[in-house]
Amino acid sequence: MSSSQFSSLLLPPVFAPQLRRLSFLQSHFGANGTLRNSCSPLLRAKESSLRSMATDENIVGSVRQQLAKLFEESLRVTVPEELDVDPLIAPCQNAKFGDYQCNNAMSLWSKIKGKGTQFRGPQPIGQAIMKNLPASEMIDSCSIAGAGFVNVVLSRQWIAESIQKMLTDGIETWSPRLPVKRAIVDFSSPNIAKEMHVGHLRSTIIGDTLARMLEYSNVEVLRRNHVGDWGTQFGMLIEHLFDAFPHGEVSDQAIGDLETFYKASKQRFDSDPPFKERAQRAVVSLQAGDERYRNAWAQICEISRRGFERVYERLGVHLEEKGESFYNPYIPGTLKLLDEKKLIQESEGARVIVIEGKNIPFIVVKRDGGYNYASTDLSALWYRLNEEKAEWIIYVTDVGQREHFEMLFTAAKLAGWLPAEDNKYPKASHVGFGLVLGEDGKRFRTRSTETVKLVDLLDEAKNRCKAALIERGKDKEWSEEELDKTAEAVGYGAVKYADLKNNRTTNYTFSFDQMLNDKGNTAVYLLYAHARICSIIRKSGKDIDELIKTGTLDLAHPDERVLGLHLLQFAEKVEEACNNLLPNVVCEYLYNLSEDFTRFYTNCQVVGSAEETSRLLLCEATARVMRMCFHLLGITPVYKI
Ligand code: ARG
C-alpha cells in the first residue's frame, strides 16, 4: 500500500497534474498475414468505426438474454398475478437434455402455493411455462424434466443463421448488455519514484482486460491511473535533488535510476538528522505551493511517469492519470460532508470513522493533522460518483488492500453515497489478486535485484520466443521485422495470458517455461491455433469475404453444431466475466473453443469436401471469435506461424 501521507494544507487545483492520455503503440498483423504497423490513434479509429456498426437495434444480446425475453413473456401469461419474476435461464449441465433450461417453476411454486392457485405443483407450472412460450425461430423443441425444469433445444438453423449474421454485421453485434453506462477502472496505479513491481504488472494486465471487457459491452470506461504522487516522501526526494543538482540541471540521465535515487535519499533521511529536518521543512514548502518545490516535485513525477509509460507502451495499455495529488483540494470538503453526517469521531488524537465488525477504525485524519491514503480515497470516491457520474467503480490491487477497500465502501454506504445493497448501482468493487510467486514458491524476485524490473521481464519473454522461432527456421522465411513482431505478440501475450487464466484471487507462479510452452492452456498454443485456422482459409484459395456474401452455413455434423453453439455463447461468457470481474472466464472460454475447433477439424474435412463453403465460414467465425477474445485479453493475434 502506498504510504503517502498528506498535509492538511490546501493546494490550488492547478497543482494537480493534467489528465494525461498515454499514447500507446500497438502493432498487429493484417488479415492476409502480412505485417502491418499501426499506431494507436489509427487502431482506435478502426476499432471505433467497427463499434459504430453495432447500433442499439442490431445488438442482439446473448443467447441467454434472448431466451430470457421469450420466457419473460411466457411467465407473464402463466402467472399474471406474480409481477417482476426474473426468468432463470442457464445452460443445461447435460447436453443430453438440451442446450438451455428455464428453472423458474420450483421457486414459483413455493411462492404461489396455498394462495388459491390452479396449479398442483412445480411440474404443471413448468408445463404451462412451456406451453405459453411465444413462437420463435430460436427454439427447435422443449421438454420438461424433474420438478418443472423446461429444457430447450435450440434450432440448428437458427444457430447457423446467427453466426452468419455475425459474419456480415460484425462481432460487435454480439456484445452483451450491462446495466451500467459509465464505469471507472482504477488500475496499475504505481507509486512515483519507486519501481513498478510485478504486483503493478498484475494490476495493469487485469485492469486493462476488465476495461476492455466492459468497453466491448458498450460501457464507457474511464481508465484511471491513481498514481501515488503525493506524500511526505517528496520532502527528502526534493532536498536530495537540490543537493545533487544545485544548478537545476536535472535530466533522466543525470538522475539515472529513480529507485536508486529514492534509496539514497531515504538513507540520508534515516541517518542524517539535519537532512531529515530540511526534508520535513521541504514538505511544508511543497504543500504551501512554493514554486521551486513544486517544480522539483513535478520534475520527479515526470521522470517516473516516463518510466511507467515505457511499460504501458510495450503492453499496449492505455491509462489516464489522475493521481492522488489531484484529489487533495477536495479532501476538506469531503470530510466536512462526513462530519455533517456525524460519522467522524476523535480517537487518540486522530479523526476516524468507526466501522462495525472491524478491529481498527478507518483513520481519515492522522494525529498530526495530515491526510492519508484513506482521506484521498474517500475524496476520489466522492469525486467519481458526483463529478464523473460513474455507476460502477472498480479498484484493482493486490488482496492485501482488501480491508482498506471494505472500510472505504462501508464508510461510503454509511454516508449514503452508495446504496446499502450490494446488487444495486452505483456500486464499488475491489478486484483483489494474489501474489506473484517464483518457481521456488517464494515471492517473485530475480537474483540481481530485490524486485523484478518489468521491462527486463518482457524482454526475456520476447527473446525466448524469438529464439524458438529461429530454431524452427522462421528467420529464413520471414523478414527481421516479422520475426520481431511475432516474438513480441507471442511473448507479451504469454505473460498476460499466464496471469489472466488463473482465478485472480489465487497466487500465481511465474514460470517462463510454463507460459511459453506450445502445448496446453497457454497463449502460445492459442495463438498458434488461431494462425492455423487462418492458414486453412488461405490454403483453400477462396476469397472469404465473397463466401460470406454468397455462401450458406449449415451445422449438419454434430461436431459442427457443438462448435457453432460454443461460438454463440461468446456473449454470455463475456457477460459473466464482466459481472463477476473475472477475466479467467474468457480464457477458459477461449481454450474450450480451440478444443471444440480441434474436434471439428479432426472429424470434418474442410478443404475439398462437399461442405467446403459452409465449413470455411465456420473456420472464419471461429477465427473472429478467437480474435475478439485475444483483443479482450490485450493479446495481439498472429496470422501465420
Ligand atoms: N498506489 C497504490 C499501491 O501501489 C495503489 C492505488 C490503488 N487505487 C486506489 N484508489 N487506492 O499500492
Side-chain angles (χ1 to χ4, degrees), residues 347-611:
S347 169
E348 297 172 30
R351 307 192 64 210
V352 306
I353 300 178
V354 175
I355 310 277
E356 226 186 86
K358 297 280 174 201
N359 298 332
I360 42 162
F362 200 43
I363 301 177
V364 296
V365 183
K366 292 183 301 168
R367 222 186 286 178
D368 64 5
Y371 298 146
N372 60 5
Y373 193 58
S375 5
T376 308
D377 259 332
L378 277 167
S379 291
L381 182 51
W382 180 89
Y383 184 88
R384 290 164 176 184
L385 289 166
N386 296 286
E387 295 291 327
E388 298 186 309
K389 311 260 181 264
E391 293 151 293
W392 196 4
I393 303 159
I394 298 159
Y395 299 82
V396 189
T397 78
D398 60 283
V399 283
Q401 297 196 33
R402 184 168 40 204
E403 179 106 297
H404 165 77
F405 286 106
E406 276 173 7
M407 299 218 270
L408 174 68
F409 301 162
T410 309
K413 285 176 187 170
L414 291 173
W417 301 350
L418 291 174
E421 303 88 347
D422 280 329
N423 57 354
K424 289 214 175 118
Y425 296 91
K427 184 158 102 175
S429 309
H430 176 227
V431 171
F433 52 80
L435 291 175
V436 183
L437 303 177
E439 282 175 277
D440 56 1
K442 298 207 185 93
R443 226 177 217 286
F444 188 50
R445 45 187 80 198
T446 51
R447 259 159 275 131
S448 51
T449 50
E450 295 155 49
T451 51
V452 180
K453 290 221 163 106
L454 293 188
V455 174
D456 296 348
L457 224 151
L458 294 171
D459 276 345
E460 175 150 3
K462 177 186 167 180
N463 292 340
R464 285 190 186 215
C465 283
K466 197 166 168 181
L469 288 169
I470 292 173
E471 210 179 288
R472 293 170 50 181
K474 295 293 168 192
D475 52 333
K476 297 188 188 69
E477 285 172 42
W478 294 353
S479 70
E480 183 65 22
E481 197 195 2
E482 246 177 332
L483 203 59
D484 249 15
K485 292 291 169 201
T486 308
E488 260 167 37
V490 180
Y492 301 170
V495 173
K496 289 185 179 185
Y497 191 82
D499 193 328
L500 294 168
K501 78 169 183 189
N502 302 295
N503 182 313
R504 58 174 163 73
T505 49
T506 54
N507 293 345
Y508 107 88
T509 306
F510 193 98
S511 156
F512 279 119
D513 289 338
Q514 254 172 44
M515 69 177 74
L516 295 176
N517 195 333
D518 59 8
K519 286 174 205 73
N521 191 1
T522 65
V524 185
Y525 165 76
L526 293 163
L527 285 166
Y528 284 10
H530 171 260
R532 236 171 270 126
I533 299 175
C534 295
S535 103
I536 296 168
I537 299 171
R538 268 198 310 274
K539 284 191 185 136
S540 75
K542 297 282 157 52
D543 178 346
I544 197 73
D545 294 326
E546 208 40 50
L547 291 191
I548 291 172
K549 278 189 217 133
T550 56
T552 333
L553 192 83
D554 188 15
L555 302 168
H557 192 282
D559 291 326
E560 289 180 298
R561 192 188 184 281
V562 169
L563 175 59
L565 180 61
H566 195 100
L567 288 171
L568 217 53
Q569 287 168 330
F570 173 64
E572 62 202 51
K573 284 296 164 187
V574 178
E575 188 191 2
E576 182 189 335
C578 284
N579 285 333
N580 301 315
L581 300 169
L582 288 175
N584 60 308
V585 171
V586 173
C587 296
E588 207 174 290
Y589 171 83
L590 174 58
Y591 182 66
N592 292 335
L593 177 60
S594 82
E595 295 218 302
D596 283 347
F597 182 83
T598 305
R599 196 172 319 108
F600 150 73
Y601 194 62
T602 313
N603 299 331
C604 303
Q605 186 192 343
V606 178
V607 180
S609 68
E611 299 89 351

Side-chain angles (χ1 to χ4, degrees), residues 1-2 186-191 197 200 226-228 324 373 377 380 384 395-398 401 404-405 408:
M1 185 176 307
S2 150
D186 173 326
F187 69 109
S188 193
S189 308
N191 300 317
H197 54 70
H200 293 123
H226 190 85
V227 296
E324 293 182 351
Y373 193 58
D377 259 332
R384 290 164 176 184
Y395 299 82
V396 189
T397 78
D398 60 283
Q401 297 196 33
H404 165 77
F405 286 106
L408 174 68

